[in-house]
Amino acid sequence: MGEAARRRAAAARRHSTGEITVRDAVRGEGQHVRHLLDRHIGGEGPRDAADRIDHPQRHDDGLWIQLVAERDGVIVGALATGDIFGKPHIRTQPEAAAMIGRHAEISSLVVHPNARGQRLGQRLLAEVERRYMDAGYQLLSGEFVARNTHLRAYYGDAGFMVGKSGRPVVIIFGAEMISPLEPNDDAVLFWKVMRTGPTVVDLSSVSAAEGTRLVERAVRAAQGDTLSDGK
């Protein structure tokens, strides 16, 4: 075995032993997460993910959670999430302030290949879902690149609904806010309603006209619920 092969084997052994701990990322670990994303999956943008860990004060609206999975002192997984209405380009909109604290978005999830097959990604998802539930959030969503077809079953197994490539969904938060989610043409949306409140209208398999009717019907139903609550 050559020297290069021995180094690869040693690295694989380091990633394959020891207990995995899931915890909050701390400042200074952003570049480690960026390296994982750059090398293995990509995600929302490795630089943005690293910046959110090393400079958390940039994102002070809503709850932002950056988790890492560590084994033998090495980061082998990471999950980045945040309040979708707390994003800098959204939180300035008039309706956004009232919606902060309702809808969280998964922006990146990565697991090192040598740590896969142990449901580590599911563990990260479950932990972040628990925290957002405890904080009163109602909805958790994200998207993945359509060519990664295995992720459809992956997120489905985690309890998420999964749309179709390039097709939007519409989230109705009572009678207060209608929030469309529109993926890129090569992306697939996934979502989970964690608490009673929002209605998700999946436009994946309907015509534009039928989609409009479904949204209008859901809005009327939400308005009716609001009136009933007012009585």
Side-chain angles (χ1 to χ4, degrees), residues 24-199:
D24 291 295
V26 298
R27 290 193 184 204
E29 292 181 330
Q31 291 307 311
H32 297 286
V33 172
R34 180 179 177 180
H35 176 72
L36 270 180
L37 289 169
D38 271 333
R39 189 169 182 181
H40 299 296
I41 194 168
E44 63 156 354
R47 180 174 297 177
D48 286 345
D51 196 42
R52 286 177 178 174
I53 293 171
D54 292 337
H55 305 284
Q57 71 278 4
R58 287 183 55 216
H59 305 277
D60 55 1
D61 289 342
L63 178 60
W64 296 75
I65 301 173
Q66 321 296 322
L67 298 179
V68 295
E70 181 183 38
R71 179 166 58 192
D72 298 334
V74 178
I75 292 176
V76 295
L79 174 61
T81 61
D83 193 306
I84 198 168
F85 292 102
K87 290 183 174 182
H89 65 285
I90 294 179
R91 63 187 177 196
T92 56
Q93 298 177 11
E95 304 89 351
M99 301 306 297
I100 289 174
R102 298 193 183 191
H103 183 180
E105 179 184 46
I106 298 168
S107 53
S108 60
L109 170 62
V110 60
V111 175
H112 190 282
N114 289 322
R116 293 174 187 170
Q118 304 174 64
R119 299 187 65 82
L120 178 55
Q122 303 283 357
R123 184 176 165 190
L124 289 163
L125 288 169
E127 174 63 15
V128 83
E129 180 181 347
R130 180 189 66 78
R131 294 195 191 189
Y132 278 115
M133 283 278 290
D134 289 347
Y137 278 72
Q138 299 170 315
L139 188 77
L140 182 62
S141 71
E143 63 179 60
F144 60 85
V145 178
R147 67 174 178 271
N148 296 323
T149 54
H150 66 285
L151 292 179
R152 179 174 296 276
Y154 183 87
Y155 286 109
D157 289 344
F160 289 86
M161 302 297 294
V162 182
K164 292 186 178 179
S165 178
R167 298 294 293 166
V169 301
V170 175
I171 317 297
I172 300 168
F173 290 92
E176 306 166 49
M177 179 73 171
I178 299 175
S179 176
L181 296 181
E182 299 180 358
N184 294 324
D185 291 342
D186 63 345
V188 177
L189 290 169
F190 60 92
W191 65 92
K192 180 186 288 190
V193 176
M194 300 184 293
R195 290 179 178 274
T196 302
T199 299

